[in-house]
Amino acid sequence: MNFNSPQYCIFLPIVFLVFYFSSDRYRWLVLLIASYLFYASLKAPQLLIALALVTVISFYHGVWLGRTERESRRKLIFWLGTVACVLILVILKYQSSLLSSIGIENLPSNLLIFIGVSYFIFQAISYLADIYMRISEPELHFGHFALYLSFFPKLLQGPIERTGDLLPQLKQPYQFDYDATRSGCCSLLGDCSKKW
């Protein structure tokens, strides 16, 4: 499902309606499920596996960094988390040649998938860097952090989102704003009509 596909134009309003009618307590869960469904629609299981691995690695390294005071140990934790995330990116980039060397062929290869994986891996590294440099505190709610990394509308957004910009917004109670919703819908429809 691409951002300008008819499926996305159906998917997005459904997600919004479920989100709108959910209580604040569960809205993060609605968005997390929608994000994983969006990634699953790309029919690339390696993307979902990479997203799950990067989420677990960066979440626990972030918590570990937040609980560690000694600077040399903090540096080691930061680099362990960063190298683990980059290693996942390298494996995904060279997966087809690695798997064909052991006889497995015909895995889906899609530039969008690689760009998406690059985006959330660099965002995870940015999150670890913010905690390492004491710019941000580690997120202790695994679900909120998983949503922060996987939030589907920002898949191809740039530059990399800073921890302090998006993560607090995902945890705030939702207030419906008619003008902002109308403006967003008009922009989305205008942009999609240019692509069709």
Side-chain angles (χ1 to χ4, degrees):
M1 170 175 16
N2 292 325
F3 288 114
N4 60 347
S5 68
Q7 295 91 339
Y8 186 76
C9 290
I10 295 168
F11 175 74
L12 190 62
I14 290 171
V15 170
F16 176 75
L17 288 172
V18 174
F19 174 84
Y20 181 78
F21 288 109
S22 299
S23 72
D24 280 332
R25 186 175 178 185
Y26 298 109
R27 282 186 168 140
W28 68 268
L29 185 58
V30 169
L31 293 177
L32 181 62
I33 291 168
S35 295
Y36 271 80
L37 286 173
F38 176 81
Y39 288 119
S41 75
L42 298 174
K43 296 185 175 122
Q46 68 272 36
L47 176 65
L48 288 173
I49 293 167
L51 178 57
L53 284 172
V54 169
T55 301
V56 169
I57 288 167
S58 51
F59 175 78
Y60 286 107
H61 278 81
V63 171
W64 194 11
L65 268 171
R67 293 181 180 163
T68 305
E69 289 301 320
R70 204 169 72 206
E71 200 55 40
S72 61
R73 191 152 184 196
R74 286 174 55 81
K75 187 180 262 190
L76 176 65
I77 294 166
F78 169 72
W79 283 110
L80 283 173
T82 300
V83 168
C85 289
V86 170
L87 190 59
I88 291 169
L89 183 63
V90 169
I91 289 170
L92 273 173
K93 179 167 178 156
Y94 296 106
Q95 71 176 351
S96 56
S97 54
L98 290 171
L99 292 173
S100 64
S101 68
I102 58 170
I104 301 173
E105 302 285 338
N106 299 329
L107 277 177
S109 175
N110 186 336
L111 182 61
L112 179 64
I113 292 166
F114 183 69
I115 292 170
V117 171
S118 302
Y119 183 83
F120 62 70
I121 285 175
F122 290 129
Q123 185 165 330
I125 292 169
S126 170
Y127 166 78
L128 291 175
D130 282 350
I131 297 170
Y132 174 68
M133 294 185 292
R134 302 182 194 275
I135 295 170
S136 299
E137 291 295 313
E139 175 57 53
L140 301 178
H141 188 289
F142 183 78
H144 289 160
F145 179 73
L147 174 59
Y148 164 71
L149 272 192
S150 66
F151 190 48
F152 71 94
K154 66 175 180 55
L155 174 63
L156 297 177
Q157 165 193 326
I160 301 299
E161 189 74 41
R162 296 306 298 256
T163 307
D165 295 335
L166 180 62
L167 193 52
Q169 291 180 53
L170 297 173
K171 300 192 299 188
Q172 288 176 354
Y174 174 69
Q175 293 285 336
F176 180 76
D177 182 336
Y178 172 78
D179 291 330
T181 304
R182 184 178 157 281
S183 173
C185 289
C186 290
S187 294
L188 181 67
L189 289 172
D191 290 345
C192 284
S193 67
K194 292 174 189 172
K195 301 262 184 184
W196 290 336

